[in-house]
Amino acid sequence: MSLVIRDLTYHYGNTVALRGLNLEVREGELLALLGPSGSGKTTLVSLVAGILAPSGGEIRLGDEVLSRPGYARAPEDRHIGFVFQDFALWPHMTVAETLEFPLRMKRVPREQRRARVDEVLRLVHLEGYGARYPHELSGGQRQRVAIARALAPRTRLILLDEPMSNLDAKLREQMRIELKEILRHERVTAIYVTHDRLEALALADRLAIINEGRLVQVAPPEAVYRTPHTVFAAQFIGPASVLPVTIRDETGGDRIAIELPDGTRATVPGLIRAGGSASGAWVIRPENLEVLDEESSGQSEAACTFPAVVRSSTYAGSHWQIDLAILDELQSLVCHHNRPLERGQTVRVAVDVGRTWVIGDAGGLSPRVRWKFRSLDCQDVPGVRGGSTLPTRATDMSPKRQG
């Protein structure tokens, strides 16, 4: 069952927590609500659950109005499950009693209650744990009980507010896989609140990036990662270097010519700005960069190369993270390498331009986004190898209407 939110606002006294927010969560979809602390994530799901009353706007679940000015359906009548950050299990109830409780409140007959409890225990792999109390369970088991309790009454929508934040890293990774399988099995619509980008990328059908009470972007995870709408979204969803550029030309939205502060020019994929030259940001992720070996002499499949100075090398397990200074050390880049480099060492770094992304000035951005890997057109200027091209491979993404 789909959830539709229109012009939702919420005020804490004089503080505006949500600002005219619009969002649609499709039936059966797992939407991850991703944002920093204080961005409005928990406020939003609390409004959907009925824990808070909105200051304005409307919330609908299917054909039913949950909240609008002058009306708010009681939380217990919304048929929504909620998994809290601390699980919120009753210490005096066994696992079976905890799962049966919401069914008793709905006056489900005893035999049906017991059958459903057994069903959800199997679903969350806790067969044989029905007689245990919360203090007799591990953290992962308590989380499974909290999820099972939310699903037991066959809820139409489940809200999960950072449910893995209290688990260790290994258990979180395991539970991501299990949670996705559980929600798919039940075919339930879900909103998963998190500030952990890895959780969001691994779990979500779509991501909703929120900041300061506003939605920044709503799109599939790969689209947000590769084609962010704002610098905030680009850097929050994953590591990224951002270089200031001037947008010099736009050819039908297919190619964007940019110029760096030192005069370097290139044509790269980007978010189309509706007319005119403008300042922009060139988003370059570590995997888009390669430190060239001496024998390569700057000849690379990548489109452009820059001279750079090594600032630091940090070991990260599977790779070394190299911090580089470019453009007379006024800007920085971060890339991955297979070994450490000496501080102060001068290297050449190659940019796989076709997989980078340019974001135009926030004013006047067109809502149409075209995600393309296009031919490179670098100019013969210092620091850039001109006349090179990359094979053209294009994919048009026409995102559905977003909140």
Side-chain angles (χ1 to χ4, degrees), residues 44 122 128 161 170 220:
L44 176 56
R122 288 192 299 272
D161 189 8
K170 185 176 181 180

PDB file of all heavy atoms in Angstrom, residues 44 122 128 161 170 220:
ATOM      1  N   LEU A  44       9.938  12.876  10.708  1.00  0.00           N
ATOM      2  CA  LEU A  44       9.075  12.471   9.596  1.00  0.00           C
ATOM      3  C   LEU A  44       8.373  11.153   9.890  1.00  0.00           C
ATOM      4  O   LEU A  44       7.143  11.049   9.734  1.00  0.00           O
ATOM      5  CB  LEU A  44       9.901  12.364   8.313  1.00  0.00           C
ATOM      6  CG  LEU A  44       9.146  11.853   7.077  1.00  0.00           C
ATOM      7  CD1 LEU A  44       7.926  12.706   6.782  1.00  0.00           C
ATOM      8  CD2 LEU A  44      10.081  11.807   5.870  1.00  0.00           C
ATOM      9  N   ARG A 122       9.378 -18.314  12.614  1.00  0.00           N
ATOM     10  CA  ARG A 122      10.120 -19.004  11.549  1.00  0.00           C
ATOM     11  C   ARG A 122      10.713 -17.987  10.576  1.00  0.00           C
ATOM     12  O   ARG A 122      11.846 -18.153  10.108  1.00  0.00           O
ATOM     13  CB  ARG A 122       9.201 -19.969  10.799  1.00  0.00           C
ATOM     14  CG  ARG A 122       8.821 -21.221  11.582  1.00  0.00           C
ATOM     15  CD  ARG A 122       8.171 -22.257  10.679  1.00  0.00           C
ATOM     16  NE  ARG A 122       6.938 -21.752  10.067  1.00  0.00           N
ATOM     17  CZ  ARG A 122       5.743 -21.851  10.630  1.00  0.00           C
ATOM     18  NH1 ARG A 122       5.618 -22.434  11.826  1.00  0.00           N
ATOM     19  NH2 ARG A 122       4.671 -21.386  10.024  1.00  0.00           N
ATOM     20  N   GLY A 128      11.804 -21.896  18.493  1.00  0.00           N
ATOM     21  CA  GLY A 128      12.306 -22.416  19.756  1.00  0.00           C
ATOM     22  C   GLY A 128      12.674 -21.354  20.768  1.00  0.00           C
ATOM     23  O   GLY A 128      13.096 -21.677  21.891  1.00  0.00           O
ATOM     24  N   ASP A 161      13.385   2.881  12.580  1.00  0.00           N
ATOM     25  CA  ASP A 161      14.168   4.063  12.945  1.00  0.00           C
ATOM     26  C   ASP A 161      15.546   3.639  13.448  1.00  0.00           C
ATOM     27  O   ASP A 161      15.733   3.332  14.625  1.00  0.00           O
ATOM     28  CB  ASP A 161      13.426   4.865  14.011  1.00  0.00           C
ATOM     29  CG  ASP A 161      14.081   6.210  14.282  1.00  0.00           C
ATOM     30  OD1 ASP A 161      15.020   6.577  13.546  1.00  0.00           O
ATOM     31  OD2 ASP A 161      13.653   6.905  15.222  1.00  0.00           O
ATOM     32  N   LYS A 170      29.868  -6.435  12.182  1.00  0.00           N
ATOM     33  CA  LYS A 170      29.655  -7.728  11.536  1.00  0.00           C
ATOM     34  C   LYS A 170      28.192  -8.130  11.584  1.00  0.00           C
ATOM     35  O   LYS A 170      27.629  -8.621  10.596  1.00  0.00           O
ATOM     36  CB  LYS A 170      30.524  -8.793  12.205  1.00  0.00           C
ATOM     37  CG  LYS A 170      30.440 -10.149  11.516  1.00  0.00           C
ATOM     38  CD  LYS A 170      31.390 -11.151  12.144  1.00  0.00           C
ATOM     39  CE  LYS A 170      31.306 -12.495  11.434  1.00  0.00           C
ATOM     40  NZ  LYS A 170      32.231 -13.488  12.045  1.00  0.00           N
ATOM     41  N   PRO A 220      16.817   5.921  -7.164  1.00  0.00           N
ATOM     42  CA  PRO A 220      17.488   4.653  -6.847  1.00  0.00           C
ATOM     43  C   PRO A 220      18.906   4.899  -6.345  1.00  0.00           C
ATOM     44  O   PRO A 220      19.532   5.917  -6.690  1.00  0.00           O
ATOM     45  CB  PRO A 220      17.495   3.913  -8.195  1.00  0.00           C
ATOM     46  CG  PRO A 220      16.350   4.492  -8.955  1.00  0.00           C
ATOM     47  CD  PRO A 220      16.297   5.936  -8.545  1.00  0.00           C
TER      48      PRO A 220
END
